[in-house]
Structures are given as C-alpha cells and as structure tokens.
C-alpha cells in the first residue's frame, strides 16, 4: 500500500458505521452509531516490532470439521464481540483506535486442501503452526484468523488453529469468550458449570477472646503487612534493574539479539492431569506448584545434557552434574489482575459496562527458575511452592502494570522486555519437551516410593 493510499484508507475507516439490531420478532430496531474507542497502552504495546505478539490456540475435534457450519456459528458468537469485528486504525496524530467494520469471513477462515491420509499428520500440524509464526495479519482487517485442518492426528480427527493478535485481549478475555460461546448439553440455554471453592464459615466468638489473643493477631497482621511491603519493594527493585542492566546467565537456552523476530516452533505432549493431581494432593501444593516444579526439573535435565555434550567427554559425563554454579534463569510471567470471578462474570465480560473487564489487564512478574540436579525429585516441587508463595505475597504484578501504563503515557511505546527462544537456539525442542514430561514421571514415582500416596493404576497414562 502506497503512503497516500494508506492515508486515504485511514481517513475513510475513521468514519463510524451504522448497524441495526433486531428485536425478538425479527423487526429492525433503533440504529446504533458505533463509537470509536482508543486502544489502551497495553494493546498498543503489542504492536511494537520487538513485542508484536500473537496468541495461537490449537483445538482438536473428535469429528471432521465442516467449514460452512463453523462460519455460520462464528457470525452468532465471535463476530458479536466488537474487538473481533473492528479495525485498529492509526490516526494522523499516531493514536490508534478501534473502528467497527464489516467482516469478510472468507478472509478470516482458511481451509487448505489437504490429503486426509498423509503419512505424518502430527508433524504437518507442527510445521503448519511454525509457518504461521513467520507471517502476520494485515491491519486492513480485524487481526484474527482461524485455520481448519481436516487431518487425522494422534489426538483428533480435525484440528482448528486460532491466531489472535494479543492486542485484542489477554488469556482471561479469550477464555471468557470461549465460555460465552458454549452451552450445556443438557440445557442448551445454560452456561457450563465449573466447581467452585467452598469456604467454611467460622463462628464468631469475639466476646470470649482475651486481650492476649488480640495482641497476638495484631502482631501477626503487622508482620504480614511488613512482609508484603518488603517483598514488593524488593521485587520492584529487581524488576527495574533487570530492565536497565541485570541480565540472565548465558546458557544454551538464551538466544542472540534479534531473536524476537524469528519464527517459533511449538511442540507439545499430552499428559495426564490425574498424575499432576496425585503429586499435588500428596505434597499439599497447587497444580501451578507442580507445573513449575516439573518445568524446573526438565530445564535442569536438558541443560545438564547440553553442557555435557559441549564438554565432549565420554558417555558417563552425561550422567553426572555438568551444570555451572549459580545459573540465573528467569521467565516473564503474565498475571491476570482482575478479581477472581465466576463463570457468569467471565461470560458477561463480552457485554459493555460490566465489572469483569475485557482487554489486557495483566501485570508482569519475574519468575526465577532454580536450576540444578536434585537427589530427591520432590525438591523441585518444594522449591517451586516456596517461589510461588513468595510471589503471591507481593504487589509486583500491580506495580509493573502501573509503571508500564505510566511509562507508555509519558514516553510513548519504546519500552520492552522480551525473553524467548527459537529453533536455532534450541535445535532439539522435542528433547526439552520430553525432559519436562519425564520429570513429571520421576516426581510421581518419588511420591509413590516415599509412601506419600498409594498408586492408582488408573492414573498411569502419559
């Protein structure tokens, strides 16, 4: 597109469009003029060249996918949300706004012609997603697309791949959209239900509490508040110095400058959630604690193998500790800042002026990985629990969200922290995946061997 043509397109797109809504009898009601809404600072950040992020969701189907049915349902679900039927238009002053437009589903739903009996469908899907990471979606249309692949993989009869630009919303927003588009089989009008947390009500007996009881609880409250304040100060300081100069240790997992522009290869393995729950219940932790624990264990195993290969010693070197001391390896973890909401609130997020807000309401937390070989595999989970408990008792996510909003408003978009790897950095991503999966099995076996829980033969599959 030539500069003059782009300018004309921007001016034309800024004209609001009129839409009609229908009442229950199908008659047209009052025309509504769609208002232009500016992009939030977080949404604009995701358009920066160094932080141009897409969300890719891969969904398997038990039956073959029928594109016509999928398109017909998208009209009544996805396209009802303004973000999925709006352009992101740049005004002359540089400000970006959401502007409603008419969506051409033929440009958004891609159905390639494939051989349903291809030799390796799993590898084809993996390569297809890898090639998607090489391209981007034009801003002349709403920034999402859906790829329907009717190939039989090891897990599904057909595969749908959503590619959504992160400026449209965060993970919680997209999950709310998924919930709002689904209904119960038993009741087509009802939203699906999820188990909630049941809190036991404590009996109030304030009259019988002694003064020593109040003093003790006041001291505990003071200590809790002081730790919260101190943890937040420390986390905020580390976050700022990381943005300025503090770097991670040079390891085989760290890529060279410019890695944020390279394609991504996504590999995955389905594991049993029951295995994770077994470890969680035995060690009195959370699923996130176990997930971080097996990630630390898998990264440790993978790095130890890579360092062993670089030494070019005999085969025995791969079984001993080849890791350097004090490896600093961290991940930027995105935290949802919305209050905990029920399924109805998440579904209502699609509506306007609701308490549960759509968009990118996320803060950033620097999550350190503890890298090292442990004699007891359960130590990985214990360390993970300590790390997550420490991060929970801090306002780091709220601080980073507020600072990012302030910096973007004062100085503009140029501020970014990106941690990522590509295929050149990790030439054997499937080996890293297998190390993480094997770590779950090692931790589960350790739980059973220590007698923390009896083995259930129904929980053995991975």
């Amino acid at each position: 597109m030539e500069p003059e043509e782009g300018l004309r397109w921007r001016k034309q797109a800024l004209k609001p469009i009129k839409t009609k809504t229908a009442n229950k009898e199908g008659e047209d009601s009052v025309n509504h003029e769609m208002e232009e809404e500016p992009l939030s600072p977080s949404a604009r950040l995701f358009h920066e060249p160094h932080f141009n992020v897409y969300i890719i969701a891969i969904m398997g189907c038990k039956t073959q996918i029928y594109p016509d049915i999928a398109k017909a349902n998208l009209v009544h679900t996805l396209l009802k949300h303004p973000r999925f039927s709006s352009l992101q238009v740049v005004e002359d002053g540089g400000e970006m706004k959401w502007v409603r437009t008419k969506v051409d589903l033929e440009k958004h739903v891609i159905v390639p012609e494939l051989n349903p009996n291809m030799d390796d469908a799993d590898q084809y899907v993996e390569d297809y997603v890898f090639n998607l990471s090489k391209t981007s979606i034009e801003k002349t249309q709403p920034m999402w697309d859906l790829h329907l692949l009717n190939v039989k993989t090891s897990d599904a009869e057909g595969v749908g791949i959503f590619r959504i630009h992160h400026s449209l919303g965060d993970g919680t927003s997209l999950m709310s959209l998924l919930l709002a588009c689904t209904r119960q089989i038993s009741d087509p009008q009802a939203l699906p239900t999820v188990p909630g947390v049941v809190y036991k009500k404590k009996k109030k007996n304030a009259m019988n509490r002694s003064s020593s009881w109040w003093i003790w609880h006041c001291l505990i409250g003071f200590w809790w508040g002081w730790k919260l304040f101190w943890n937040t100060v420390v986390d905020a300081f580390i976050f700022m110095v990381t943005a300025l100069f503090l770097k991670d240790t040079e390891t085989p997992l760290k890529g060279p400058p410019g890695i944020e522009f390279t394609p991504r290869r996504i590999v995955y393995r389905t594991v049993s959630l029951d295995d994770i729950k077994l470890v969680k219940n035995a060690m009195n932790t959370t699923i996130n604690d176990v997930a971080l624990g097996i990630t630390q264990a898998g990264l440790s195993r993978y790095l130890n193998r890579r360092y062993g290969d670089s030494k070019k010693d005999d085969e025995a070197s791969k079984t001993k500790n080849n890791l350097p001391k004090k490896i600093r390896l961290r991940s930027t973890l995105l935290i949802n800042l919305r209050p905990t909401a029920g399924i109805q609130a998440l579904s209502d997020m699609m509506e306007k002026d609701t308490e549960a807000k759509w968009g990118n309401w996320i803060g950033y937390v620097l999550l350190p990985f503890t890298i090292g070989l442990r004699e007891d595999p359960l130590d990985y989970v214990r360390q993970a629990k300590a790390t997550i408990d420490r991060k929970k008792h801090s306002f780091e996510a709220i601080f980073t969200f507020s600072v990012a909003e302030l910096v973007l408003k004062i100085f503009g978009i140029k501020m970014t922290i990106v941690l990522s790897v590509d295929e050149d950095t990790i030439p054997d991503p499937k080996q890293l995946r297998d190390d993480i999966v094997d770590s779950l099995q090692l931790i589960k076996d350790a739980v059973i061997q220590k007698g923390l829980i009896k083995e259930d033969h129904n929980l053995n599959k991975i």
Side-chain angles (χ1 to χ4, degrees):
M1 181 181 293
E2 295 297 326
E4 293 183 358
E5 295 176 347
L7 183 59
R8 286 199 299 271
W9 169 76
R10 285 196 292 268
K11 290 181 178 179
Q12 293 171 358
L14 282 173
K15 297 179 181 179
I17 64 174
K18 293 183 178 181
T19 61
K20 293 183 178 180
T21 58
N23 56 26
K24 294 182 179 179
E25 287 72 23
E27 298 176 353
D28 291 339
S29 59
V30 182
N31 290 338
H32 294 279
E33 191 171 276
M34 305 307 299
E35 297 180 356
E36 300 169 5
E37 181 182 351
L39 270 70
S40 67
S42 298
R44 289 189 288 118
L45 177 63
F46 285 115
H47 280 288
E48 277 301 287
H50 292 267
F51 209 59
N52 191 19
V53 182
Y54 286 85
I55 298 173
I56 293 181
I58 306 173
M59 298 171 288
C61 300
K62 292 184 177 180
T63 61
Q64 186 180 13
I65 302 174
Y66 297 94
D68 292 339
I69 297 179
K71 293 177 184 178
N73 281 277
L74 287 175
V75 174
H76 302 291
T77 54
L78 199 70
L79 299 190
K80 282 190 173 182
H81 195 284
R83 292 292 182 267
F84 289 83
S85 56
S86 297
L87 300 174
Q88 301 183 35
V89 178
V90 182
E91 287 189 315
D92 294 338
E95 184 180 10
M96 299 183 70
K97 288 188 175 182
W98 300 101
V99 179
R100 291 296 292 268
T101 187
K102 184 177 181 180
V103 178
D104 183 2
L105 281 178
E106 298 301 322
K107 295 182 179 179
H108 291 269
V109 181
I110 293 89
V111 188
E113 294 184 5
L114 304 174
N115 177 12
N117 299 317
M118 62 178 62
D119 294 334
D120 194 346
D122 292 291
Q123 185 63 46
Y124 175 83
V125 173
E126 180 183 316
D127 293 338
Y128 192 94
V129 176
F130 175 71
N131 290 327
L132 274 183
S133 69
K134 299 178 181 179
T135 62
S136 59
I137 301 175
E138 295 293 333
K139 294 181 181 178
T140 54
Q141 65 184 46
M143 300 190 70
W144 65 272
D145 53 26
L146 171 61
H147 301 254
L148 302 179
L149 311 180
N150 274 317
V151 292
K152 185 176 181 180
T153 66
S154 57
D155 299 317
E157 296 291 329
V159 177
I161 304 172
F162 262 113
R163 180 173 58 163
I164 304 170
H165 196 266
H166 213 313
S167 60
L168 271 65
D170 55 22
T172 302
S173 297
L174 298 177
M175 286 190 290
S176 74
L177 178 62
L178 175 63
L179 292 173
C181 295
T182 58
R183 293 295 184 270
Q184 296 183 25
I185 296 178
S186 58
D187 184 0
Q189 301 300 321
L191 288 167
T193 57
V194 293
V197 180
V198 179
Y199 296 97
K200 295 182 179 179
K201 293 183 178 180
K202 296 181 179 180
K203 296 182 178 180
K204 295 183 179 181
N205 193 18
M207 299 298 295
N208 298 329
R209 291 170 181 168
S210 62
S211 59
S212 60
W213 184 93
W214 288 107
I215 295 174
W216 175 249
H217 277 73
C218 286
L219 291 175
I220 293 178
F222 174 79
W223 176 246
W224 186 91
W226 170 253
K227 284 186 64 178
L228 179 65
F229 170 78
W230 178 251
N231 290 344
T232 303
V233 171
V234 172
D235 290 340
F237 175 76
I238 294 177
F239 192 93
M240 296 305 295
V241 297
T242 298
L244 296 175
F245 60 86
L246 185 62
K247 307 300 180 183
D248 283 359
T249 305
E250 295 290 338
T251 67
L253 293 176
K254 189 174 182 180
I259 194 175
E260 59 269 25
F261 302 109
T262 59
R264 303 289 188 269
R265 179 168 293 276
I266 299 175
V267 296
Y268 66 93
R269 172 77 62 84
T270 302
V271 299
S272 172
L273 183 60
D274 289 331
D275 286 347
I276 297 178
K277 288 181 177 179
L278 184 146
V279 178
K280 173 187 81 75
N281 296 331
M283 301 189 67
N284 192 27
T285 61
T286 66
I287 289 180
N288 286 339
D289 295 336
V290 179
L292 177 59
I294 63 177
T295 301
Q296 291 184 152
L299 289 173
S300 299
R301 289 163 55 89
Y302 179 80
L303 283 174
N304 189 62
R305 181 182 292 104
R306 290 287 297 270
Y307 280 114
D309 292 341
S310 64
K311 292 181 179 179
K312 297 182 180 180
D313 291 337
D314 54 12
E315 187 67 22
S317 65
K318 298 182 180 180
T319 61
K320 66 180 182 181
N321 192 343
N322 303 301
L323 295 171
K325 296 181 179 179
K326 297 181 179 180
I327 293 179
R328 182 189 297 118
L329 181 63
R330 297 169 295 174
S331 171
T332 303
L333 188 65
L334 304 182
I335 304 295
N336 173 36
L337 297 181
R338 299 174 182 85
T340 302
I343 190 170
Q344 184 62 47
L346 290 174
S347 176
D348 291 343
M349 190 184 292
M350 292 186 64
E351 305 297 332
K352 192 174 181 181
D353 298 328
T354 58
E355 292 184 3
K357 299 298 183 182
W358 181 278
N360 287 286
W361 293 85
I362 49 179
Y364 308 87
V365 168
L366 285 179
L367 186 68
F369 291 112
T370 303
I371 302 300
L373 299 184
R374 304 287 183 263
E375 294 184 2
D376 185 358
L378 301 185
D379 285 342
Y380 292 109
V381 180
R382 297 187 183 103
Q383 292 169 345
K385 176 176 173 55
T387 299
I388 292 180
D389 287 347
R390 161 67 176 75
K391 288 294 182 179
K392 287 179 180 177
H393 202 59
S394 170
F395 286 147
E396 179 183 4
I398 298 177
F399 169 81
T400 55
F401 174 82
S402 302
V403 169
E405 292 279 302
L406 180 62
V407 170
L408 291 175
K409 289 179 180 178
I410 297 177
F411 300 104
I413 290 294
K414 304 294 183 179
M415 181 193 111
T416 58
I417 299 176
V418 179
L419 302 176
S420 62
V421 297
D422 70 342
E423 203 169 30
D424 292 331
T425 304
I426 303 181
D428 50 354
K430 293 182 180 179
Q431 181 61 63
L432 176 57
R433 175 202 63 189
D434 293 342
D435 284 334
I436 295 176
V437 173
D438 293 342
S439 297
L440 171 59
Q441 187 66 46
L442 289 174
I443 292 173
K444 174 190 170 185
D445 292 342
V447 166
I448 297 173
Q449 291 172 3
K450 291 179 179 293
L452 297 178
I453 193 171
K454 293 183 179 179
E455 181 175 8
D456 186 347
H457 295 287
N458 294 325
L459 306 180
N460 271 337
K461 64 177 182 178
I462 291 185

